[in-house]
Amino acid sequence: MYRIGIDLGGTNIAVGVVNDRYEIVARRSVPTGAERPAEEVIRDMGDAVEEALRQAGLTAADCASMGVGSPGACDPQTGVVKRAYNLNWFDVPVCRMLHQRFGIPVRLGNDANCAALAEVVAGAAVGCQDMVLITLGTGVGSGIISRGKILSGLRGGAGEAGHMLLVLDGEPCTCGRRGCWEAYASATALIRQTRQAALAHPESLLAQVEEITGRTAFDAAQQGDAAAKAVVAQYAVYVAAGLTDFVNILAPEMILLGGGISRQGEALLAPIREYVATHCFGQREGAIPTIAAAKLGNEAGIIGAAAL
Ligand SMILES: [Zn+2]
């Protein structure tokens, strides 16, 4: 049996058909065109599904279900996208509209939750019942899998860990509050921390870089630059301090890191593991989760949506 996964993004809609091993057998990507009414976007989404099915030599009747992974606040019970600012969608019943066209069950999930589910069914956390995926990007996203299922909470609102508190009255966050984890552990925050270090240490390699990105501090640290090493060490502590809260609250089997910064691999993972192991409650041996990089990258959206 096949399933259809739709990764709805602000820029592109990626549609894939997966087989029962969650391998993508056909895919299609179209521009979202989010400035248009939602009905038009969903019509294009449906057209892309039909093209992907045709490519695979299948019809909707060969598929058990369809899933949509959407940014923003999504209600998995009603299948309604409540608020997605980058799509300009408010209360859009995307599941009902796709069900009317294709006649198969359609499920909805938040994109960060879909990415976590994808890692469990086909990625770095296969077989895990309790895991957390943290995405370190422009913001900090999170998806929590509990007993094999997405932890959704009331109206799908759970898993916004980027906005848990790290520092009372700390740095301003995009959400309007101060001191959120995201304001310290996102790529945006790392760039700010790197810029500050460059200003404070004019002798550093950081001060000679034209455009500071999320990689700058890692690259300079690898060349032995002291100021860069300090930035990386401090950033790892910011990430790890939040992860330690996850360990204390949920005791997951595994924590995966995704997003651009996770590509730094062991340079980031090793200090994080050390911090979590020495700071989590009780520090009991065997109670510390495996901490690793996510595996699926861009495919996670399609696979996770199909797994809904
Ligand atoms: Zn916030």
Side-chain angles (χ1 to χ4, degrees), residues 62-120:
D62 299 308
C63 299
S65 63
M66 185 183 296
V68 181
S70 166
C74 302
D75 188 335
Q77 257 74 48
T78 58
V80 173
V81 177
K82 303 295 291 175
R83 284 183 315 279
Y85 292 103
N86 55 350
L87 297 170
N88 208 21
W89 280 21
F90 300 94
D91 290 307
V92 175
V94 61
C95 289
R96 197 184 71 214
M97 292 164 81
L98 288 170
H99 177 70
Q100 276 166 358
R101 178 161 172 183
F102 291 95
I104 59 174
V106 185
R107 303 300 299 268
L108 173 69
N110 167 272
D111 49 10
N113 289 339
C114 287
L117 189 58
E119 294 292 339
V120 167

Side-chain angles (χ1 to χ4, degrees), residues 162-163 173-177 180 182:
H163 303 286
C173 181
T174 52
C175 72
R177 199 182 180 205
C180 293
E182 175 169 307

Side-chain angles (χ1 to χ4, degrees), residues 162-173 177-184:
H163 303 286
M164 68 183 180
L165 189 76
L166 192 69
V167 179
L168 192 62
D169 294 327
E171 295 285 341
C173 181
R177 199 182 180 205
R178 282 182 170 270
C180 293
W181 189 28
E182 175 169 307
Y184 294 84

Side-chain angles (χ1 to χ4, degrees), residues 8-266:
L8 169 60
T11 312
N12 284 297
I13 301 168
V15 171
V17 180
V18 305
N19 62 19
D20 48 17
R21 292 188 300 279
Y22 289 101
E23 295 158 344
I24 299 176
V25 296
R27 73 175 81 212
R28 177 95 185 119
S29 181
V30 293
T32 308
E35 68 288 348
R36 301 175 302 158
E39 293 71 27
E40 283 183 33
V41 175
I42 293 169
R43 192 194 57 216
D44 285 4
M45 196 186 279
D47 291 348
V49 167
E50 278 179 2
E51 281 187 50
L53 285 170
R54 206 172 306 133
Q55 228 181 76
L58 301 166
T59 68
D62 299 308
C63 299
S65 63
M66 185 183 296
V68 181
S70 166
C74 302
D75 188 335
Q77 257 74 48
T78 58
V80 173
V81 177
K82 303 295 291 175
R83 284 183 315 279
Y85 292 103
N86 55 350
L87 297 170
N88 208 21
W89 280 21
F90 300 94
D91 290 307
V92 175
V94 61
C95 289
R96 197 184 71 214
M97 292 164 81
L98 288 170
H99 177 70
Q100 276 166 358
R101 178 161 172 183
F102 291 95
I104 59 174
V106 185
R107 303 300 299 268
L108 173 69
N110 167 272
D111 49 10
N113 289 339
C114 287
L117 189 58
E119 294 292 339
V120 167
V121 299
V126 169
C128 265
Q129 289 293 298
D130 295 282
M131 67 81 76
V132 174
L133 170 70
I134 303 296
T135 310
L136 305 171
T138 311
V140 172
S142 66
I144 301 166
I145 303 295
S146 176
R147 300 187 173 182
K149 292 192 167 160
I150 292 172
L151 187 81
S152 298
L154 182 65
R155 297 195 181 153
E160 292 296 343
H163 303 286
M164 68 183 180
L165 189 76
L166 192 69
V167 179
L168 192 62
D169 294 327
E171 295 285 341
C173 181
T174 52
C175 72
R177 199 182 180 205
R178 282 182 170 270
C180 293
W181 189 28
E182 175 169 307
Y184 294 84
S186 62
T188 316
L190 172 59
I191 291 168
R192 185 190 71 234
Q193 292 150 14
T194 309
R195 279 204 193 110
Q196 285 166 350
L199 287 173
H201 300 277
E203 77 292 353
S204 151
L205 287 174
L206 300 176
Q208 291 153 39
V209 178
E210 261 184 38
E211 196 200 352
I212 288 176
T213 69
R215 287 188 47 180
T216 305
F218 284 95
D219 289 348
Q222 204 168 14
Q223 293 173 57
D225 187 86
K229 281 184 183 170
V231 170
V232 169
Q234 181 63 63
Y235 176 74
V237 167
Y238 287 139
V239 176
L243 297 185
T244 304
D245 288 353
F246 271 101
V247 177
N248 290 343
I249 296 170
L250 296 171
E253 298 165 68
M254 185 177 269
I255 295 177
L256 294 178
L257 297 183
I261 294 184
S262 70
R263 282 183 225 122
Q264 298 299 332
E266 288 303 309

